[in-house]
Amino acid sequence: MEITRPSRQRQADLEVTARFIIFCTIAALSVAGPAQAEDCKLQSVASLDATRTPDGLLAVPVSMGSERVNMLLDTGAERGVIDISVTQKMGLTPLKISAPPPIFNVRGAPFLSMVQFSQPDFYLADGTQLDHFVKIPVVTLGASNVEAAKFLLARFDEKDTPGIRGILGNNLLRNFDVEIDPAAGKVNLFSPDHCEGKVVYWAPAYADLPIHVGASGQVAFTMTLDGHDVETILDTGAAHTTLNLRLAQQLFGIDVKSPSVERVSGENGVPIYRTRFQMLTAGGLAIKNPYIYLAPDQIAQRQMAKAMDDGFSGSAVSGAARLILGMDALSHLHFYIAYKERKLYLTGSAPLPDAATK
């Protein structure tokens, strides 16, 4: 069977068409490639210079209108906190946090079989309840302006927190990706819209951990302490890595009267201890022989007492057994919190210590 070949002119036209199609395909790929790469590139929102407080915490500058406020960077705080003196200077009116309406069952009797602690319950780490807030007209973080941002009101003691007039909490932080490099004194904020896993630009190797971001914005993940998995909260607002005392006693058999357990504080009748463990690990990172503080959860205790005073029955708080990973450990890391991606990326910025010395 004879196959009719196209004429020379027709063949030339086909060759030109084919070359044109190939050229267009290559051009499209060359355009799509950089575009896709551009989409994966981190989009910087702010680069903040961080200073260290006497107890090793990080403080960053935050603009509030014409005021520039030095604030603690606190990934463990649900909401930002501002000193009353700043709001008075700005002429802002304090607002009372209103409690939610009670839950009733039949005949108007309070529903006592369940306790719910909702939004109005805000506490500092020492258990102090905060019950007033203000709306800051504009809060500026680099290229980002947040309008009508709510901050809780508190009084900051100059002796305890010199130069600090606020706390930058999760109600703002969780809107971004947050990179923290304590050794370099840098806190960078990025848009959360990027390709998954394409965030660690400063090192060829890293550890990445799945995280849970709760309603409070706290970053929770699992670490292994002496062979036991423990729920861990990443808390840049905590100077020391601290284990719930009840968990330490129940899970590790810690006896506070043991010679290996040191009492380091007892302010306001609340004893705080510390002891040495063998190994704290997560991903490919390990801290050998860490000193870990042991303390009761004062917030949980305050909530329980308040619930009982209000006549509620049942379990007022779920078990608060957890490890707080504080700045004594975090200062040796360079880490990136991808809130939207639900990942924590970690590298060592300095040799991890064999043991804490402070």
Side-chain angles (χ1 to χ4, degrees):
M1 177 178 179
E2 183 178 357
I3 301 175
T4 306
R5 295 175 57 85
S7 65
R8 183 177 298 272
Q9 181 62 43
R10 175 63 174 160
Q11 185 174 0
D13 289 342
L14 288 175
E15 290 174 354
V16 170
T17 303
R19 284 198 299 267
F20 179 77
I21 293 174
I22 293 172
F23 172 78
C24 290
T25 302
I26 294 174
L29 289 175
S30 65
V31 171
Q36 186 174 6
E38 188 68 24
D39 292 340
C40 287
K41 185 178 180 181
L42 294 176
Q43 302 175 43
S44 176
V45 175
S47 182
L48 308 175
D49 292 323
T51 56
R52 301 296 286 269
T53 66
D55 52 359
L57 303 180
L58 295 174
V60 293
V62 179
S63 295
M64 298 181 171
S66 61
E67 297 294 322
R68 185 178 173 88
V69 183
N70 214 26
M71 310 189 82
L72 284 178
L73 180 75
D74 193 348
T75 59
E78 179 174 350
R79 284 194 170 273
V81 183
I82 190 71
D83 187 73
I84 292 176
S85 64
V86 176
T87 62
Q88 290 175 338
K89 188 176 181 181
M90 296 176 68
L92 301 177
T93 302
L95 303 171
K96 176 73 173 179
I97 298 176
S98 59
I103 301 174
F104 293 93
N105 60 7
V106 294
R107 298 182 181 178
F111 189 69
L112 301 181
S113 62
M114 174 179 64
V115 174
Q116 293 180 326
F117 292 103
S118 53
Q119 198 71 0
D121 289 312
F122 296 109
Y123 297 83
L124 295 177
D126 62 1
T128 301
Q129 186 173 12
L130 305 179
D131 57 4
H132 282 79
F133 72 100
V134 293
K135 291 183 180 180
I136 308 295
V138 179
V139 176
T140 301
L141 293 167
S144 176
N145 292 319
V146 181
E147 297 182 353
K150 295 179 181 179
F151 278 76
L152 299 171
L153 278 175
R155 294 187 183 276
F156 286 74
D157 192 332
E158 181 64 25
K159 294 184 296 182
D160 296 335
T161 54
I164 301 299
R165 290 294 174 267
I167 294 173
L168 185 60
N170 288 320
N171 60 317
L172 293 182
L173 292 176
R174 67 187 303 174
N175 296 299
F176 312 97
D177 278 5
V178 182
E179 177 200 354
I180 303 175
D181 185 359
K186 294 297 292 186
V187 174
N188 297 318
L189 305 181
F190 296 96
S191 165
D193 297 321
H194 55 72
C195 297
E196 291 189 7
K198 305 295 184 181
V199 301
V200 179
Y201 61 89
W202 64 87
Y206 57 88
D208 61 333
L209 303 173
I211 61 175
H212 171 72
V213 181
S216 67
Q218 289 182 330
V219 174
F221 57 102
T222 300
M223 298 192 77
T224 302
L225 179 63
D226 286 2
H228 295 278
D229 289 344
V230 290
E231 178 192 356
T232 303
I233 302 295
L234 189 152
D235 191 352
T236 59
H240 304 290
T241 297
T242 304
L243 183 65
N244 179 272
L245 179 58
R246 185 182 63 178
L247 176 64
Q249 293 170 327
Q250 293 177 348
L251 190 60
F252 298 94
I254 298 294
D255 182 359
V256 296
K257 296 181 180 180
S258 169
S260 63
V261 179
E262 175 188 3
R263 180 166 176 166
V264 295
S265 176
E267 297 179 359
N268 301 320
V270 180
I272 298 176
Y273 308 89
R274 73 170 183 174
T275 190
R276 191 190 300 274
F277 288 80
Q278 295 180 6
M279 186 78 72
L280 178 65
T281 62
L285 299 174
I287 301 175
K288 298 179 181 178
N289 303 318
Y291 264 125
I292 294 181
Y293 282 64
L294 311 174
D297 190 326
Q298 298 182 65
I299 296 176
Q301 290 181 349
R302 290 290 181 91
Q303 289 180 326
M304 178 70 79
K306 181 177 181 295
M308 300 309 293
D309 288 343
D310 291 342
F312 290 115
S313 62
S315 176
V317 289
S318 60
R322 60 183 183 179
L323 178 75
I324 303 297
L325 190 65
M327 285 302 298
D328 53 352
L330 293 172
S331 61
H332 298 277
L333 302 175
H334 185 165
F335 52 102
Y336 186 109
I337 306 171
Y339 286 96
K340 182 178 178 180
E341 190 184 345
R342 298 295 195 265
K343 280 286 187 70
L344 174 64
Y345 297 88
L346 303 157
T347 67
S349 62
L352 292 177
D354 283 344
T357 57
K358 296 183 180 179

